[in-house]
Amino acid sequence: MDSNRIYIFDTTLRDGEQVPGCQLNTVEKIQVAKALEELGVDVIEAGFPVSSPGDFNSVVEISKAVTWPTVCALTRAVQKDIDAAVEALRYAKHKRIHTGIGTSDSHIRYKFNSTREEILERAVRAVSYARQFVEDVEFYAEDAGRTDNEYLARVVEAVIKAGATVVNIPDTTGYCLPEEYGAKIRYLVEHVDGIDKAVISTHCHNDLGMATANTMAGLLNGARQCEVTINGVGERAGNTALEEIAMILKSHSDIPLTSNINTTRIFPVSRMVSSLMNMPVQANKAIVGRNAFAHSSGIHQDGVLKEVSTYEIINPKDIGLDDNNIVLTARSGHAALRYRLETLGIKLSDEKLDAFYQEFLKLADKKKQVNDDDLLVLAGAERAAVAHIKLDYLQVTSGKGLKPVASIGLDIAGEKFEGAAHGNGPVDAAINALKTIVRRQMVIKEFTIQNITKGSDDVAKVHMQVEHDGHVYYGFGANTDIVTGSVEAYIDCINKFQH
Ligand code: KIV
Ligand code: ZN
C-alpha cells in the first residue's frame, strides 16, 4: 500500500443529500454515482438503508451500477440497521458497512443516557456483528471532535481489535480548530495499539468555515482517508468539499500526498450535482465558483495577461473548465449543444437530445445567448415534464392601478382543469387560482427568486418550501417569467407529496 495515497470517500449521496430540499430520486443518484466513479473516488457512501425504503433501494441500485469504487452504507450501532445495510449491499462488487455511535460526553449523556463503558461495548458489538457479513467495516465515533482524546483512543483501539478496517473521526459539529483536529489524529497514531491495522479517516463539517483546513490537518498528521462531498454540500454549513482537497493535493508539490481523482472531471460533476440538487454554487466558491477564475481588478488582469502564474495558481483546464467559450444562440446546432451539455456532465441519447434541442430553441428565442446555467435549468425542467401535475397555461393581468387576476390551466394525470382568482400581487393571484383546483392545506415557508446574470432577459430560479400535513416539501421552478417560475416551484412542491 502506498503510504502517501489518500483515499477519497464521497458522501454527497448520504451526508450531502440530508440537506432539506436536496433530495434526489434513485435515477438521479445513479447518475451522480456513475459520475463519481468517472471522477475516480475510492468510496461512495450511497445512503442509510434502514432510514427509508427509498434510501434502501438507492443503495441496491448504486451497488449494481458502479464497478470500481467501494459502495458504503451507513448504520447506527444497531443490529437491524446493519442487517438492512448487508441486504442493500448484496450486489456491490466492493462493499463496506459504516457503523458507529456518539462518543462525546454530551452524546453519551444526553443522546444515549449512558456511560462511557456501555458505549464502548456497543461500539465493539456493532463492529463484530458487521464483520460477520463483510470484510470492510468502518467505525465512526460521532462527535469525535469534542470527545476526550484518551477515551477516543480506547474506543478506536477496541473497535480495531473487533475488526474495524477504517476508523472515522468526525468533527460532527465543525467545532475543532485545525491544530486541535490535527493533534487529535496524531494522538491516535501515537497512542492506539494496532492503529497500523486500520486507516484513519477524517470527516469534517464546515460550521466555522474550517472543514477543509481541518481535513488537511488530519491528513498531514496521519489520516489516509477523507470524507468529502461535491461542492461541500451537507447539513447546515456543509462538509469538506471534494474539489478543494483534490486541488490542494494536486497544487502543492511540497505535500507528498496523492489521490486518484481525475481533476478534469471536477467541473462537470460540480455542475451536475448543483443542478440535480437545485443547490446553486456560490459565485466565489473555491475551485468551482463562477468567479473562481475571474480576475476583475485592473492590476490582476494586467498581471495575468503578462504571465498567468502571477495571480493564477490553478490552470482552469485542470478542473475541466474549458476556456473555449462557445456561445449558444438560436442558430447553434445539435453538435454545439451536445458538446456544451457534455462539458456540464449531461449525456443524452440522440432522441433525448432532439427533444432537448427543441426546448433549447424556445429559450434561445427568448434570450439572445444561452449560458451553462440556463442549460442546467432546462435539464431540470425536463425532469419536471414527467410530473403528476403539470402547468398547461397561465395568464396573469397586473400592473399599477389594476387588481391582479390570474387564470390557470393544469394537467393532472392527463385530465385538464381550469381555475381563476384575484390576489394581492401576480404571484398571489396565480397561486390562488391554482388553489381553486388543488384544494390542499399548504403554507409557503420559504420563497426565493434568484437570477444568474444581471440581464433583464435572464431565467429566474425560484426555490420554495411549502408545509403540508406537518412536513416541509421543497420545490424548484425556472422561467424567464418570474410568475410562471413561482407557480412551477409551487407545483413541484405539490408533486412531492402527491406521490
Ligand atoms: O457528521 C457525522 O458525524 C456523520 C457520521 C454519521 C459519520 O455524518
Ligand atoms: Zn457528517
Side-chain angles (χ1 to χ4, degrees):
M1 195 167 86
D2 174 0
S3 63
N4 287 330
R5 162 87 146 82
I6 299 302
Y7 292 90
I8 303 290
F9 175 118
D10 183 278
T11 184
T12 305
L13 296 173
R14 201 278 298 169
D15 225 357
E17 214 248 350
Q18 276 171 222
V19 180
C22 287
Q23 277 72 32
L24 304 177
N25 62 38
T26 302
V27 174
E28 291 165 339
K29 284 187 189 175
I30 292 171
Q31 216 180 318
V32 173
K34 300 281 287 175
L36 291 172
E37 181 171 37
E38 246 185 273
L39 180 65
V41 307
D42 299 287
V43 185
I44 295 175
E45 187 160 49
F48 181 13
V50 86
S51 67
S52 72
D55 242 44
F56 183 93
N57 193 37
S58 298
V59 176
V60 173
E61 295 306 325
I62 290 170
S63 298
K64 291 181 195 162
V66 302
T67 307
W68 303 113
T70 295
V71 180
C72 177
L74 186 80
T75 82
R76 293 166 298 180
V78 172
Q79 282 201 4
K80 76 167 171 36
D81 288 28
I82 296 171
D83 292 339
V86 171
E87 182 62 13
L89 287 169
R90 65 191 183 280
Y91 297 111
K93 287 99 195 156
H94 312 279
K95 56 185 88 175
R96 177 181 296 175
I97 289 180
H98 189 191
T99 189
I101 196 161
T103 53
S104 65
D105 286 336
S106 157
H107 279 223
I108 294 174
R109 183 158 169 214
Y110 299 114
K111 227 175 116 174
F112 301 113
N113 187 22
S114 187
T115 62
R116 285 186 174 187
E117 291 317 310
E118 210 174 270
I119 292 297
L120 190 144
E121 278 168 30
R122 283 170 67 175
V124 167
R125 243 183 287 138
V127 171
S128 311
Y129 185 68
R131 272 304 302 256
Q132 292 179 28
F133 307 101
V134 294
E135 284 181 6
D136 194 0
V137 174
E138 173 167 343
F139 172 79
Y140 65 86
E142 194 181 8
D143 204 15
R146 294 186 302 169
T147 299
D148 164 54
N149 283 351
E150 216 178 299
Y151 174 63
L152 184 63
R154 279 180 54 213
V155 175
V156 167
E157 193 167 304
V159 294
I160 293 174
K161 273 204 190 97
T165 45
V166 181
V167 283
N168 177 13
I169 311 300
D171 182 22
T172 305
T173 59
Y175 177 75
C176 284
L177 295 169
E179 289 74 13
E180 190 185 356
Y181 190 74
K184 194 174 275 289
I185 302 296
R186 171 75 26 210
Y187 184 90
L188 296 176
V189 170
E190 288 171 356
H191 291 86
V192 171
D193 262 359
I195 194 70
D196 53 316
K197 296 196 178 69
V199 170
I200 302 179
S201 182
T202 65
H203 179 113
C204 299
H205 280 267
N206 204 30
D207 299 66
L208 293 171
M210 294 189 287
T212 297
N214 283 346
T215 298
M216 282 312 301
L219 298 180
L220 292 171
N221 279 284
R224 284 296 173 267
Q225 175 181 282
C226 59
E227 308 196 0
V228 291
T229 61
I230 300 293
N231 301 334
V233 293
E235 271 191 295
R236 308 185 308 278
N239 292 54
T240 305
L242 180 150
E243 62 276 10
E244 293 175 15
I245 297 299
M247 291 315 291
I248 291 170
L249 299 184
K250 187 175 170 75
S251 313
H252 270 266
S253 51
D254 51 327
I255 300 177
L257 306 176
T258 58
S259 81
N260 188 43
I261 295 297
N262 171 2
T263 63
T264 61
R265 299 299 307 156
I266 284 178
F267 187 73
V269 180
S270 159
R271 288 306 183 262
M272 171 196 273
V273 167
S274 163
S275 159
L276 291 174
M277 288 191 164
N278 294 321
M279 183 90 158
V281 177
Q282 94 195 39
N284 61 338
K285 164 83 183 63
I287 317 295
V288 289
R290 187 157 32 94
N291 293 348
F293 297 96
H295 302 277
S296 56
S297 88
I299 296 174
H300 285 205
Q301 284 175 349
D302 182 53
V304 167
L305 287 174
K306 285 181 179 139
E307 165 54 45
V308 77
S309 66
T310 50
Y311 287 99
E312 231 171 63
I313 58 161
I314 297 171
N315 182 342
K317 287 200 171 90
D318 285 349
I319 64 152
L321 228 179
D322 66 308
D323 47 10
N324 179 4
N325 258 335
I326 292 186
V327 175
L328 295 178
T329 68
R331 282 176 301 286
S332 301
H334 282 66
L337 179 63
R338 185 192 289 283
Y339 172 79
R340 220 46 238 161
L341 286 171
E342 286 186 359
T343 309
L344 297 169
I346 303 169
K347 288 185 185 145
L348 299 179
S349 62
D350 287 348
E351 193 189 332
K352 284 212 161 145
L353 184 76
D354 272 346
F356 195 97
Y357 186 70
Q358 297 313 316
E359 293 309 310
F360 157 76
L361 285 181
K362 281 186 212 158
L363 180 63
D365 276 344
K366 291 187 210 163
K367 278 193 91 188
K368 280 189 221 79
Q369 296 185 348
V370 176
N371 61 32
D372 288 351
D373 287 306
D374 295 327
L375 292 179
L376 290 168
V377 165
L378 271 187
E382 213 200 20
R383 291 194 296 279
V386 292
H388 180 69
I389 303 182
K390 286 181 232 161
L391 179 64
D392 254 356
Y393 70 85
L394 176 67
Q395 187 176 0
V396 185
T397 312
S398 72
K400 197 167 160 59
L402 293 177
K403 187 166 181 170
V405 60
S407 54
I408 196 167
L410 297 182
D411 176 319
I412 304 184
E415 258 193 85
K416 304 287 181 191
F417 296 86
E418 290 183 325
H422 286 286
N424 67 7
V427 174
D428 191 44
I431 286 180
N432 287 343
L434 185 149
K435 282 180 175 169
T436 64
I437 308 170
V438 183
R439 295 173 191 278
R440 297 293 198 102
Q441 262 308 324
M442 291 173 277
V443 181
I444 296 180
K445 299 303 253 184
E446 218 175 287
F447 177 21
T448 41
I449 302 179
Q450 284 181 310
N451 68 340
I452 298 159
T453 61
K454 295 191 183 77
S456 57
D457 65 346
D458 197 11
V459 174
K461 290 177 144 195
V462 184
H463 302 263
M464 200 179 273
Q465 286 189 21
V466 163
E467 193 178 271
H468 167 70
D469 210 11
H471 296 280
V472 174
Y473 296 89
Y474 171 89
F476 176 75
N479 206 293
T480 48
D481 178 316
I482 290 177
V483 184
T484 305
S486 305
V487 171
E488 284 170 354
Y490 194 77
I491 291 175
D492 193 31
C493 292
I494 303 172
N495 278 325
K496 301 261 166 73
F497 60 77
Q498 282 295 117
H499 272 293

